[in-house]
Amino acid sequence: MVTSLLVSAALIVGAMGYPGFGFPLTPSSHPQGFPYDDGSWVMPLGEKEAALREMMLRDHSIMGLYPSQLTLVNGRSDLTTLGHADVSHSIHWSSMLLVGEIHRWKVTQDPAAYERVKEVFDAVIRCHRINQVEGVLSRGYIYGHGPSYEERRGHGRTQDRWWQGTGEFAGFRWRGNPSHHNYSSFMVAMGAAWTLLDDPEIREAVRQTVGAIMQRVYIDDDFRVRDHDGEMTADLFVGGRNRDFPSMSGLFITTALKIGAETTGRAQIARMYDNLVAQYNY
């Protein structure tokens, strides 16, 4: 359902065209702009959703984690350190995927849909657990040992923000250097899981994980993101702190604080939320 909505939005934008390209974004009306398009995307949205879901489950799932860009070899993805599966934004995309999968289950009540919810939920929580530091998120992980695709090609400073998992996570190589987007998306996913899933085990995992993140990032480090090795990688207040109206990052923080207050029941977090609401004149 969510995939269908995204595809619909893309088709609408394409039909409107984008002046910056100088031609409508529709392959059928301007084949010169899409020399590799074979028209295979032209199908009913229901069929397209099913095809995209099949592709996602086959090539874009690392125990539920969603890697975005892939390099296919002989038509298949390699989700190990030897291949190329971009996980630099996987905590973000997987969090949004979890929200969609939760709504899929709520609408269909299909047991298979609920199993998929649990798989993606575990993947998102694994991004917190894999670095073994409470309150720190990793961006994503791939299977295997040794240098990842990003480390091999020397991609700026982020090539040095990879680590090998240990203990139960020894079979993964994971990416650090989390951003404010990673935390805001993760919190939205936790809010959806807490509100819409009547599962004691999942709700307890949400309560513990959100509590750890609230304590480290939002309280101890004053809305700043400190990676597992102590390096500060982001400030949640990207748009500045001393405003009387919310920036986009302010909206993210307000939402996270509300979710944190609801899931943990902590009065301190509720006061932080109330103070920010008063400051922004909501």
Side-chain angles (χ1 to χ4, degrees):
M1 179 176 65
V2 173
T3 305
S4 297
L5 292 174
L6 292 174
V7 170
S8 298
L11 292 175
I12 292 171
V13 172
M16 293 171 61
Y18 183 65
F21 284 100
F23 54 82
L25 293 183
T26 52
S28 59
S29 63
H30 202 294
Q32 295 93 326
F34 296 82
Y36 305 107
D37 181 79
D38 61 1
S40 61
W41 60 277
V42 181
M43 64 177 71
L45 285 181
E47 294 179 19
K48 186 174 293 184
E49 191 276 341
L52 289 173
R53 172 165 285 269
E54 179 184 0
M55 178 181 65
M56 179 173 61
L57 294 175
R58 182 187 67 238
D59 294 320
H60 293 263
S61 183
I62 307 176
M63 295 179 67
L65 187 78
Y66 183 87
S68 54
Q69 297 179 356
L70 302 170
T71 298
L72 299 181
V73 178
N74 296 324
R76 296 302 300 269
S77 60
D78 184 346
L79 305 177
T80 74
T81 53
L82 300 177
H84 172 236
D86 189 346
V87 296
S88 58
H89 301 287
S90 283
I91 183 60
H92 169 75
W93 297 122
S94 299
S95 293
M96 296 299 97
L97 175 62
L98 176 58
V99 175
E101 296 290 8
I102 290 172
H103 282 87
R104 171 186 286 275
W105 175 74
K106 294 294 286 188
V107 170
T108 66
Q109 294 294 297
D110 182 353
Y114 193 68
E115 290 303 311
R116 175 64 173 163
V117 166
K118 292 193 291 185
E119 180 183 42
V120 179
F121 178 83
D122 287 345
V124 171
I125 291 294
R126 191 175 295 116
C127 285
H128 174 252
R129 297 183 59 228
I130 200 167
N131 57 64
Q132 302 186 26
V133 177
E134 288 292 300
V136 176
L137 292 175
S138 68
R139 283 176 171 261
Y141 53 82
I142 51 181
Y143 298 116
H145 299 76
S148 66
Y149 62 94
E150 197 171 36
E151 295 170 281
R152 292 196 304 271
R153 72 187 183 191
H155 187 60
R157 66 179 294 274
T158 55
Q159 73 188 53
D160 300 323
R161 306 303 292 172
W162 284 83
W163 287 269
Q164 190 65 41
T166 59
E168 64 179 298
F169 306 111
F172 298 103
R173 192 146 183 93
W174 59 272
R175 169 77 142 72
N177 206 55
S179 72
H180 67 289
H181 288 297
N182 302 151
Y183 281 86
S184 61
S185 300
F186 179 87
M187 291 299 296
V188 168
M190 294 299 99
W194 178 269
T195 304
L196 299 175
L197 299 178
D198 186 18
D199 185 316
E201 185 174 341
I202 286 179
R203 287 171 64 86
E204 179 60 19
V206 170
R207 186 188 66 79
Q208 291 185 7
T209 308
V210 169
I213 288 174
M214 282 283 132
Q215 186 63 48
R216 181 182 176 96
V217 177
Y218 293 78
I219 298 174
D220 293 346
D221 288 333
D222 191 25
F223 300 96
R224 293 181 175 87
V225 177
R226 179 164 48 95
D227 209 346
H228 78 292
D229 61 348
E231 178 172 332
M232 289 292 181
T233 60
D235 188 329
L236 298 186
F237 280 102
V238 176
R241 298 180 178 233
N242 299 318
R243 292 171 172 260
D244 58 5
F245 62 92
S247 62
M248 183 174 291
S249 62
L251 291 170
F252 292 159
I253 294 170
T254 309
T255 300
L257 289 174
K258 181 63 173 178
I259 294 168
E262 292 292 330
T263 56
T264 67
R266 293 177 57 182
Q268 179 184 11
I269 300 173
R271 286 194 300 271
M272 294 168 67
Y273 168 78
D274 290 338
N275 291 340
L276 201 56
V277 168
Q279 174 184 328
Y280 285 155
N281 294 306
Y282 279 109

